[in-house]
Amino acid sequence: MRTSMLRSIKSLTTSPSAHILRRGYASEAVPLRKVTVLGAAGGIGQPLSLLMKLNPLVSNLALYDIANTPGVAADISHINTRSEVVGYASDAELGKALEGADVVIIPAGVPRKPGMTRDDLFNINAGIVKGLCEAIAKHCPKALVNMISNPVNSTVPIAAEIFKKAGTYDPKRLFGVTTLDVVRAKTFYAGKAMVPVAEVNVPVVGGHAGITILPLFSQATPKANLSDEELTALTKRTQDGGTEVVEAKAGKGSATLSMAYAGAIFADACLKGLNGVPDVIECSFVQSTVTELPFFASRVRLGKNGVEEVLGLGPLSDYEKEGLEKLKPELLSSIEKGIKFATQ
């Protein structure tokens, strides 16, 4: 799926008809789709906006942030791909950025800074998400909402409660983007198993922070004969991937580029689903009955209405069963924290 997105980008400037055939639309034109990025001038937002500009399924790209967006939009707009780009800045222009959006991607928020507690970070980002979701409910209530803003385990429940208050909540249209966990799991597994990463598939379930991230390496393909110690180390590295990047950047940044890539992959999957491409499956943090928790990340089949089907966990190893039980209390606490914030 990742390589197909890159191939489709290349085909846009070489053979439009080949692109259309590869996407399964026969001779029909690719549907017009508007994508809005909220937080487009930030560390994730800028590379994410660039990647969405390269996606031939996007016809209208709206970039919003509280400042600096016109410059980002002007820069990206010079790229010779299909979509028209408009930048919007300030609260007064948020509605225009959202009107008519098919997909809204939210990387808005602040990274954790020195001296800032996790509660400080939560309160700031939760407030940002709350305001943006209120605007989404007003201006594009039918859009597919891709939540990147951390902590995803809490911001998705916040969004759900805001949409419920507005009378617009549709659980099929709200997604927590956990794709970076999948991207990392695939990369790390391929390196250890010594198989081509493009051929690797690893479902990652649970949540999107620390031990709530549970890669199911027992279901990974191609199969590899890895020891229990190696699988444990792979799981730990996937869970701590964000910390690995922060430490490598010596505290001067976080995982912005890989997150932008993962966000673009998931948005591409949403667009494919909207356009009727069959069997589009990605992992995502959604309202779920897979476990007793109200929200849970697992494989999801995407379609014209967003979530078409939330798929089950499949067979788990004893180690994964243990990890599943360990993550539940922490994930539930984060979910309840988000609900409490939105309803207080």
Side-chain angles (χ1 to χ4, degrees):
M1 184 171 293
R2 282 83 179 128
T3 53
S4 68
M5 187 181 81
L6 297 175
R7 285 198 304 269
S8 67
I9 290 169
K10 181 179 179 182
S11 71
L12 182 70
T13 56
T14 56
S15 176
S17 60
H19 155 66
I20 292 169
L21 290 171
R22 187 153 43 236
R23 287 287 175 176
Y25 301 120
S27 60
E28 298 176 8
V30 178
L32 298 176
R33 296 294 181 192
K34 178 177 177 178
V35 173
T36 299
V37 180
L38 302 181
I44 298 171
Q46 289 199 40
L48 174 59
S49 298
L50 170 62
L51 291 171
M52 296 316 299
K53 176 66 172 121
L54 298 179
N55 191 315
L57 301 184
V58 181
S59 57
N60 187 324
L61 183 59
L63 307 182
Y64 171 83
D65 214 319
I66 56 175
N68 303 322
T69 337
V72 175
D75 193 357
I76 291 176
S77 71
H78 292 180
I79 296 170
N80 61 322
T81 55
R82 179 191 185 204
S83 55
E84 295 183 1
V85 183
V86 181
Y88 301 90
S90 80
D91 291 341
E93 295 190 328
L94 177 55
K96 292 180 181 178
L98 291 170
E99 287 175 0
D102 296 289
V103 177
V104 178
I105 313 173
I106 311 179
V110 299
R112 190 176 177 188
K113 300 174 182 177
M116 180 184 290
T117 68
R118 291 190 182 276
D119 282 340
D120 292 336
L121 179 66
F122 171 83
N123 289 329
I124 294 171
N125 285 352
I128 292 170
V129 166
K130 180 176 182 288
L132 294 175
C133 288
E134 287 171 345
I136 291 169
K138 180 178 180 181
H139 297 284
C140 56
K142 299 295 185 181
L144 302 189
V145 178
N146 293 186
M147 184 68 69
I148 293 175
S149 302
N150 275 318
V152 167
N153 293 351
S154 298
T155 54
V156 169
I158 288 171
E161 293 301 319
I162 297 304
F163 295 151
K164 287 176 185 177
K165 283 183 183 179
T168 64
Y169 181 53
D170 182 349
K172 295 182 177 181
R173 297 177 180 274
L174 175 60
F175 304 89
V177 180
T178 60
T179 314
L180 181 53
D181 303 324
V182 178
V183 167
R184 285 172 172 153
K186 290 181 177 182
T187 300
F188 303 157
Y189 178 86
K192 183 63 67 174
M194 293 185 289
V195 295
V197 69
E199 298 176 7
V200 170
N201 190 29
V202 183
V204 181
V205 303
H208 185 55
I211 67 165
T212 70
I213 301 167
L214 183 61
L216 303 183
F217 288 115
S218 69
Q219 299 178 24
T221 55
K223 292 293 183 183
N225 187 25
L226 300 180
S227 68
D228 290 345
E229 291 76 15
E230 288 173 318
L231 292 174
T232 299
L234 283 174
T235 299
K236 180 68 172 173
R237 189 180 180 197
T238 303
Q239 293 171 338
D240 294 341
T243 301
E244 181 178 320
V245 174
V246 169
E247 291 177 351
K249 292 186 176 182
K252 296 181 180 179
S254 58
T256 53
L257 301 177
S258 54
M259 183 65 250
Y261 169 76
I265 289 294
F266 189 76
D268 181 69
C270 287
L271 290 166
K272 289 176 183 175
L274 286 174
N275 291 350
V277 176
D279 297 322
V280 179
I281 297 175
E282 291 286 344
C283 292
S284 182
F285 186 66
V286 297
Q287 181 173 309
S288 173
T289 58
V290 168
T291 69
E292 64 272 25
L293 302 179
F295 295 90
F296 196 81
S298 65
R299 294 185 306 140
V300 173
R301 189 185 309 277
L302 300 168
K304 292 185 177 181
N305 297 305
V307 176
E308 295 293 336
E309 182 182 8
V310 179
L311 303 175
L313 298 180
L316 305 181
S317 68
D318 290 341
Y319 176 74
E320 291 161 356
K321 289 177 182 177
E322 181 181 347
L324 177 62
E325 294 308 311
K326 285 182 178 179
L327 72 82
K328 286 179 180 179
E330 183 165 329
L331 181 53
L332 179 59
S333 177
S334 296
I335 293 169
E336 290 177 338
K337 186 175 183 179
I339 294 172
K340 181 180 179 180
F341 178 88
T343 56
Q344 64 187 1

